[in-house]
Amino acid sequence: MTILNKMGPVATDEIFDLNREFFNDTYPEKASLGVGVFRTNEGKPWPLPVVREAEQRLFDEQSLSRHEYTAIEGDMAFVRLARDVLFNFHGKEDSDAQKAEKERIASVQTVAGTGANHLGAIFLAHNMKPSKVWLSDPSWANHDTIWDQAGVPRAKYPYYNPATRLFDFEGMMAVLENEGQEGDVILLHASAHNPTGLDPTKEQWKVIADLCERKRIFPFFDSAYQGFASGSLEEDSWAVRYFFNEKPHLEMCVAQSFSKNFGLYGQRVGAFHYVLSNSEKQLNRTVVDNLCHLIRGEFSMGPSGGCSIVKKVLTDENLTAQWHENMREMASRIQSMRRALYDELVRLGTPGTWEHIVQQNGMFSYTGLTSEQVQALKEKYHVYLLKSGRASISGLSTNNVAYVAKAFDDVVRNVN
């Protein structure tokens, strides 16, 4: 008899399970549309050229302090740069008004976007004690896990309309109007919604912001794809900046990741930002101190390797320009693969409508395939995607897109 006898089984992570199956599959034409990582047209990882340049410079410098502790709140030069990228302060002269705006933001380094989401959830659970958090239906599966571990009840707002395969803005607004309560938290994807690839328009974002302000619902942004979705940092952070600039009395927070836009998946580089309704320095410091209290008890401080790369790039104009070009290249390849898949399905006359594939953006597409069709894709064609029908577009290439489209066509025609 041990205390572990009371421990029940938990579901394993579908994405990592699927990735393991793919790697163990020896079929020569297999295709991985599961894991959310950028791949070249040859299906290979792509360390960004600007990252390789920054790594070489850091290696050549051989800084004696490169393995030292930083601070509990992280490498503060990195943290300030991360904030400036997200809120579009980067490269601007600090006027008094700009300094006041920056003082509204309390920021710390985290263990990538997952760590930022987790830290934010725990921070709000301890200090705000929300009655519930609203997650989109569907959302990134890890959002459920994170908020469950924080002990905050979860509710779902409509997001994806399976009949139209489009964003269900009306359904979302209706549920939040009728059921949203003061003090609730709402999780919002800043851009390239995971898993659907569907984002609100700018006009719809304005309505969402108005609702949050009027009903006093606390916005929590997850910004995992800034610059990666459209190739533009400014475009992909528009919603965050609109809330910040146009709703200054509405507090909110943002989980920021550099995994996708720098290709630093394994380096775990991220930041968490809490936006205050005023620029009082002491309140900013109190928020940071409370975040540091949580960080100290969990991981002490963020890792320095990946953030040093980001810092090196963002403090050199030529490297920054190269980074922007690298992001545009990644975004362009994914957009071209969306179009190629759509064109192939149209050429084959695949039953149904497939415009949603090119209407969506970012790494993922909610294809509309059923779980039975997804299973048939894996068993018959060795094409791997999630049971929900979510496909990672970065797994497509000019070499396999015709094969994948043919597989889609077959299961749509023959598997109910």
Side-chain angles (χ1 to χ4, degrees):
M1 178 69 178
T2 76
I3 60 172
L4 298 183
N5 286 341
K6 295 183 179 180
M7 181 174 64
V10 296
T12 56
D13 189 277
E14 182 187 2
I15 296 173
F16 283 89
D17 287 348
L18 194 69
N19 205 37
R20 191 180 304 112
E21 281 190 74
F22 173 78
F23 276 113
N24 291 333
D25 189 337
T26 59
Y27 190 73
E29 290 188 282
K30 66 180 181 178
S32 174
L33 308 184
V35 66
V37 294
F38 183 79
R39 290 290 181 258
T40 65
N41 194 58
E42 293 69 42
K44 303 295 184 182
W46 192 55
L48 271 60
V50 72
V51 167
R52 284 181 281 179
E53 173 68 21
E55 286 177 316
Q56 186 61 54
R57 293 191 189 184
L58 289 166
F59 179 80
D60 292 342
E61 288 172 6
Q62 290 291 304
S63 169
L64 292 177
S65 62
R66 65 188 182 276
H67 300 308
E68 290 292 290
Y69 290 126
T70 54
I72 298 174
E73 55 261 59
D75 182 319
M76 290 313 298
F78 159 77
V79 170
R80 287 189 290 270
L81 288 164
R83 175 202 62 197
D84 292 354
V85 164
L86 181 63
F87 292 92
N88 199 29
F89 295 138
H90 196 61
K92 296 180 179 180
E93 292 294 327
D94 270 3
S95 63
D96 289 342
Q98 183 102 292
K99 289 176 182 178
E101 287 183 338
K102 290 184 177 182
E103 285 292 343
R104 289 177 53 205
I105 308 168
S107 305
V108 294
Q109 186 180 342
T110 62
V111 184
T114 297
N117 273 277
H118 173 72
L119 178 65
I122 296 296
F123 177 78
L124 294 181
H126 283 198
N127 297 286
M128 178 180 164
K129 304 186 187 306
S131 57
K132 61 180 171 295
V133 57
W134 289 95
L135 305 178
S136 64
D137 184 14
S139 191
W140 180 42
N142 215 16
H143 285 148
D144 265 309
T145 301
I146 288 166
W147 287 93
D148 177 58
Q149 292 178 358
V152 178
R154 287 148 290 149
K156 298 293 180 74
Y157 60 87
Y159 196 88
Y160 176 74
N161 185 332
T164 62
R165 299 181 181 178
L166 298 174
F167 172 43
D168 186 5
F169 176 67
E170 291 75 16
M172 173 184 178
M173 288 295 99
V175 167
L176 293 174
E177 282 285 4
N178 293 329
E179 301 178 33
Q181 301 293 324
E182 180 176 347
D184 289 352
V185 174
I186 183 168
L187 199 293
L188 300 166
H189 300 232
S191 63
H193 181 271
N194 181 2
T196 67
L198 296 165
D199 293 329
T201 65
K202 290 178 180 178
E203 290 306 311
Q204 289 170 337
W205 274 123
K206 293 177 183 179
V207 176
I208 294 169
D210 288 342
L211 180 140
C212 290
E213 182 178 48
R214 176 167 41 81
K215 294 184 71 70
R216 298 181 182 274
I217 296 174
F218 185 93
F220 189 130
F221 278 98
D222 188 354
S223 179
Y225 299 96
Q226 187 188 5
F228 183 93
S230 69
S232 165
L233 292 172
E234 291 75 21
E235 186 67 22
D236 294 340
S237 63
W238 188 90
V240 172
R241 288 184 290 107
Y242 179 82
F243 275 66
F244 178 75
N245 293 319
E246 302 301 326
K247 304 295 180 184
H249 301 298
L250 182 64
E251 294 194 351
M252 65 175 188
C253 62
V254 189
Q256 181 184 20
S257 171
F258 289 93
S259 294
K260 303 297 191 298
N261 57 16
F262 267 87
L264 295 172
Y265 303 100
Q267 292 287 356
R268 316 313 295 145
V269 186
F272 176 78
H273 310 276
Y274 190 97
V275 176
L276 297 158
S277 58
N278 64 66
S279 56
E280 183 186 335
K281 287 186 178 181
Q282 185 53 50
L283 183 56
N284 184 307
R285 188 67 244 175
T286 299
V287 171
V288 170
D289 288 344
N290 275 269
L291 289 168
C292 287
H293 178 69
L294 297 173
I295 290 170
R296 182 60 171 153
E298 187 167 335
F299 57 92
S300 275
M301 63 196 63
S304 62
C307 84
S308 295
I309 294 171
V310 173
K311 188 168 61 171
K312 177 64 70 176
V313 171
L314 295 180
T315 52
D316 183 287
E317 287 186 7
N318 291 330
L319 291 182
T320 300
Q322 187 179 348
W323 177 49
H324 283 251
E325 182 56 38
N326 290 169
M327 284 189 290
R328 286 191 290 269
E329 189 172 344
M330 289 189 288
S332 176
R333 197 189 97 70
I334 289 180
Q335 289 161 6
S336 69
M337 285 299 100
R338 283 187 180 278
R339 173 57 61 178
L341 178 60
Y342 170 76
D343 288 346
E344 278 295 314
L345 291 170
V346 171
R347 185 184 67 80
L348 292 167
T350 306
T353 177
W354 299 97
E355 285 84 0
H356 59 283
I357 290 176
V358 289
Q359 291 170 340
Q360 298 161 355
N361 71 348
M363 183 172 283
F364 303 115
S365 172
Y366 230 46
T367 61
L369 298 176
T370 67
S371 59
E372 292 79 14
Q373 290 167 340
V374 168
Q375 185 66 22
L377 279 175
K378 183 171 68 171
E379 292 177 353
K380 186 174 180 180
Y381 290 97
H382 302 260
V383 174
Y384 290 76
L385 59 157
L386 301 190
K387 293 175 183 176
S388 64
R390 189 208 80 173
S392 178
I393 299 298
S394 64
L396 293 173
S397 71
T398 56
N399 302 315
N400 70 13
V401 68
Y403 174 79
V404 170
K406 181 181 176 183
F408 277 29
D409 181 76
D410 179 57
V411 300
V412 169
R413 293 179 188 275
N414 298 303
V415 180
N416 294 323

